[in-house]
Structure formats: structure tokens, C-alpha cells
Amino acid sequence: MGRIAFSTSRMPAATWQQTEVLDVLARRDIGQLFRIAQKVTGATQTQLGIAAGLSQAQVSEIMSGSRKVTSIEVLARIVTGFEIPEPARSTLFLGTRQPASSPAPRQSAAGAPLDLTQRFSDVVAVYPSRSAFSAAHSAHELFDGAADIRASGLSLNLLCHQYSDTGLHNLASSGAQLRLLLLDPSGEAIRRREQEEGYPPRFLSSLNEINIGVLRRVRDRLPDGRQGNIQVAVYDETVRFNIIMVDERICVVQPYLPQMRGVEAPTLLIERKSGFPGLYTMFEKIFTAAWEGARSL
């Protein structure tokens, strides 16, 4: 991470474990959090603002109580700028304290306890929104040089809009296999999603028709013998996840939440581990089941 405005190393790790601080994070009382940071580090309001991506005037308003922080984007910047570790990070994002007592740890087959990091250790990062994920990982970082891409979701904008036609063409021309599954633009599921997100009729349907057209155009331009490298299909079921798997190694998962646009939902970055089932295996099964029941275009 780049240099920030005040030294987070001056905030002892124990600070984030204190009951008072965890309570502040659970209440999302950012004004009090700033006051604690000032007390511990001696930072000015300007320095705090630079770390959180805020102006000095905004920091002053937050500390005085005249401005509240509710945006998940601002919270994400504070987590990054202040280098807030777990479990304090989750306390802030969830807006609640975790119970002090926890159930007995699960046992491995050999009888040794498995903690949470071992049981879900294929999750390498969690982002509060898709925009936060995109800011950290570009489409080119994900797809350039890939040999196998499997993707299912609503519109697959990450591939169809954030990645160029030339990039898709180059991947397929060089032998990459792409299996791409979109919500059927003429189906019932996409109409229900339009209503849930508050869009006018055919808003998402028109977007999917455009994206399908993009993929077909790229496929049609491929040389003979390579057009089968881009397989496009549609399905008409309630959309629950946007799943992108690259080279059977990386999996990006973005859930669809009630009354919330997909771009506002959190994003999981998962890395497959040999001999470890984890979440990668589960989402791979979800994709496979959807693909097998889809209609090819």
C-alpha cells in the first residue's frame, strides 16, 4: 500500500481489539473513531482526511456530529487508509459486534481443531462492492492471457463492457475457451429482476441483448476452427450470483441482494487450493449446474 497521511504503525494492534473501539466501529461512529485516531497518533484533521479520502472540512463535520458516514465506499476507504485489521474490519462493515463466546471449533478428520481461516482459507479477499473490487483489480488483470474463462450472471458487464472486443477476440484466437452464461433477455427472471431493482420494463433485457450481440460479433470474426472457443448461452432462473472463474484457479463471486443493484453488492475473491474443497468447489458446481440447463446461442 502507498504512503498515507499519518502513520498507522503508531496505532498499536491492541487498539483494534479494545472493547471501546469495537463498540465505536459497531455503531459506525466515525467521528469518535477519528478522535481515537487523533489521540493515539496525534494526526491532524487534514491528515485523517487524506487517509480516508475526505476533505478536512468533511472530517470536521463528522467529528462535530453534523455529518454521518453511511456510504460503504467511505467505510471501505477508512478501512484501507487506517489499515483496520480483522475482526475490527468486519465489525465496521457489518455494523454489529460479534458474540464474545463462540462455538467449539470444528474438528478435522484427524481430530485437530479447524479455525475459520482454515475452513474458508480459499477466500483471499472480500470487497464491500463491485466498484471497490474493480478499483483493486482491472478486467485486464483478470483476463489477459487466460486459457479458460467460465462466467455466469445477469449481463456479464465485466467481460462485455470493461474488457475490449479486441481482448476477447485475441483470447479466443489464441485458443482460450470461453463459456459465457447470461440471463435470457426474453425470460421471466430478468423481468422480475428489473422490477426488484426499480428499472423500467426491458431496461436489463435491452442491455443483455446488446451484450449478447457483442459476444456474437466477436465470435463471428474469429477464424475458422476458432469460433467454438466462445460459447454463449442463456438461462431463465432467479439470478443469485455473478460467478467468473479464470483458468480453474481464480473465482470472483458477486451475489445479487434484494432491492439492491448488483454493483452495490459485496464481492468475494477466491483462489482454488489443491486438495481443499472450500468455496471454489461450491461455486464451480453452481456454474456447472446452470450451464448444463442453459440454452445455447
Side-chain angles (χ1 to χ4, degrees), residues 91 120 123 145 168 179 191 201 214 224 242 250 261 275 281 291:
T91 299
F120 302 110
V123 178
L168 290 171
R179 282 169 281 177
R191 282 195 277 273
V214 167
D224 293 341
N242 190 76
I250 293 294
R261 293 176 59 208
T281 301
W291 182 262

Side-chain angles (χ1 to χ4, degrees), residues 57-76:
Q58 289 173 321
V59 171
S60 178
E61 291 173 353
I62 291 169
M63 294 181 71
S64 70
S66 61
R67 177 190 286 262
K68 299 293 183 183
V69 175
T70 58
S71 168
I72 200 71
E73 295 292 338
V74 177
L75 295 179

Side-chain angles (χ1 to χ4, degrees), residues 155-157 159-166 168-169 180 182 206-222 230 232:
S155 300
L156 301 188
N157 287 327
L159 271 164
C160 297
H161 290 282
Q162 298 182 39
Y163 199 65
S164 67
D165 293 11
T166 301
L168 290 171
H169 186 274
L180 311 176
L182 299 87
S206 298
L207 174 61
N208 272 24
E209 289 170 354
I210 292 172
N211 287 359
I212 289 170
V214 167
L215 296 174
R216 280 175 159 165
R217 183 175 67 249
V218 173
R219 184 174 62 186
D220 291 345
R221 288 172 43 221
L222 290 171
I230 295 183
V232 183

Side-chain angles (χ1 to χ4, degrees), residues 38-197:
Q38 274 194 324
K39 180 179 179 180
V40 174
T41 68
T44 66
Q45 290 184 354
T46 298
Q47 290 172 322
L48 294 173
I50 293 173
L54 299 167
S55 68
Q56 181 275 327
Q58 289 173 321
V59 171
S60 178
E61 291 173 353
I62 291 169
M63 294 181 71
S64 70
S66 61
R67 177 190 286 262
K68 299 293 183 183
V69 175
T70 58
S71 168
I72 200 71
E73 295 292 338
V74 177
L75 295 179
R77 293 202 303 268
I78 291 171
V79 164
T80 301
F82 283 47
E83 296 182 344
I84 301 178
E86 290 289 5
R89 179 190 299 127
S90 293
T91 299
L92 178 61
F93 280 144
L94 296 175
T96 183
R97 285 285 306 275
Q98 298 303 303
S101 60
S102 58
R106 296 188 183 183
Q107 301 289 314
S108 68
L114 289 176
D115 64 21
L116 286 174
T117 57
Q118 290 174 308
R119 287 158 49 199
F120 302 110
S121 60
D122 59 343
V123 178
V124 296
V126 180
Y127 299 86
S129 66
R130 293 191 188 182
S131 56
F133 170 79
S134 296
H137 303 281
S138 69
H140 284 281
E141 178 187 340
L142 284 173
F143 303 131
D144 283 357
D148 182 86
I149 298 174
R150 291 172 289 170
S152 66
L154 199 160
S155 300
L156 301 188
N157 287 327
L158 187 60
L159 271 164
C160 297
H161 290 282
Q162 298 182 39
Y163 199 65
S164 67
D165 293 11
T166 301
L168 290 171
H169 186 274
N170 290 343
L171 286 176
S173 295
S174 63
Q177 299 291 317
L178 288 78
R179 282 169 281 177
L180 311 176
L181 182 58
L182 299 87
L183 209 54
D184 190 340
S186 62
E188 291 296 326
I190 199 166
R191 282 195 277 273
R192 291 194 299 268
R193 189 64 195 179
E194 286 171 340
Q195 294 172 355
E196 186 168 32
E197 293 191 20

